[in-house]
Amino acid sequence: MLVKCRCCAKKIDRNSAYKVVVGGKNAYYCNEKEYKSMIEARKAKDDTYEMINQIFGYKVIHTSLFKEINAIAKTCEYSVISSYLKCSEREISFALNKDFQSEYAKIRYFAAILKNNLRDYHMPEKIKPREVNIENEPTVQHFHRRKKRRNLAELESEV
């Protein structure tokens, strides 16, 4: 029997598919990797909307926000949008601290800021810690203590 993958909509054999039980119903995926990538994408989307609500200072339920963000997400991943919002939260909040005629105008202004700035934004790279091979490190020489530094008063008292 063939089942449909929830992620890519490809038809696959039920015995070879990756099965996840959601709310008492079976959900099928091509493999575990595809399922995990879908979960990560969903988490990135939720994080993006959480950051937007934090910037606005309240939960935005106006449908135009979802329309604007979905249009931006076609050209840019949610993880990049979320990263940009985290880096520029103060600047965007300051820009939105104006009097707008309506919530729609505020959302359009916010979307324009995102569209204009995401083109030039690059996610910061994660810095990997340097690996050190202890076995190949040179042995430490014996430590020789330097003479204690003396201040001018001590030198004068000797003379």
Side-chain angles (χ1 to χ4, degrees):
M1 180 171 189
L2 296 176
V3 292
K4 195 176 194 181
C5 174
R6 288 247 180 130
C7 193
C8 65
K10 184 175 150 184
K11 295 207 179 212
I12 47 176
D13 184 38
R14 182 173 22 178
N15 296 330
S16 65
Y18 183 73
K19 178 176 118 177
V20 178
V21 179
V22 179
K25 294 186 178 183
N26 296 336
Y28 296 97
Y29 299 91
C30 292
N31 52 36
E32 185 178 2
K33 183 180 177 183
E34 194 169 275
Y35 168 71
K36 288 188 179 189
S37 69
M38 192 230 13
I39 293 296
E40 288 175 9
R42 195 178 288 171
K43 184 181 180 330
K45 186 175 181 178
D46 291 342
D47 289 346
T48 301
Y49 281 108
E50 184 65 36
M51 279 301 300
I52 291 171
N53 291 335
Q54 189 174 340
I55 289 171
F56 274 76
Y58 57 91
K59 185 171 181 166
V60 182
I61 56 172
H62 201 283
T63 57
S64 64
L65 174 71
F66 304 113
K67 180 182 174 187
E68 294 289 340
I69 298 300
N70 286 337
I72 293 170
K74 288 180 181 176
T75 59
C76 190
E77 294 180 7
Y78 280 106
S79 59
V80 175
I81 297 170
S82 178
S83 175
Y84 171 74
L85 290 173
K86 286 177 185 172
C87 290
S88 305
E89 180 181 2
R90 288 182 67 197
E91 293 84 10
I92 297 172
S93 295
F94 183 74
L96 293 177
N97 199 14
K98 300 178 182 179
D99 290 330
F100 292 95
Q101 292 179 351
S102 64
E103 187 178 28
Y104 177 73
K106 188 174 186 178
I107 292 170
R108 292 284 296 171
Y109 186 68
F110 172 75
I113 292 171
L114 280 181
K115 287 176 191 174
N116 291 333
N117 293 324
L118 280 174
R119 273 184 250 144
D120 300 329
Y121 178 72
H122 299 286
M123 285 181 63
E125 295 180 18
K126 294 181 180 176
I127 300 172
K128 294 182 181 178
R130 189 182 78 160
E131 294 181 19
V132 177
N133 189 355
I134 297 173
E135 296 167 359
N136 294 338
E137 286 292 313
T139 57
V140 177
Q141 300 296 327
H142 293 289
F143 176 73
H144 297 288
R145 187 176 215 171
R146 289 188 196 171
K147 290 183 179 179
K148 185 178 174 186
R149 295 181 113 187
R150 298 183 291 178
N151 61 20
L152 195 55
E154 291 174 350
L155 291 173
E156 287 178 350
S157 64
E158 285 182 7
V159 178

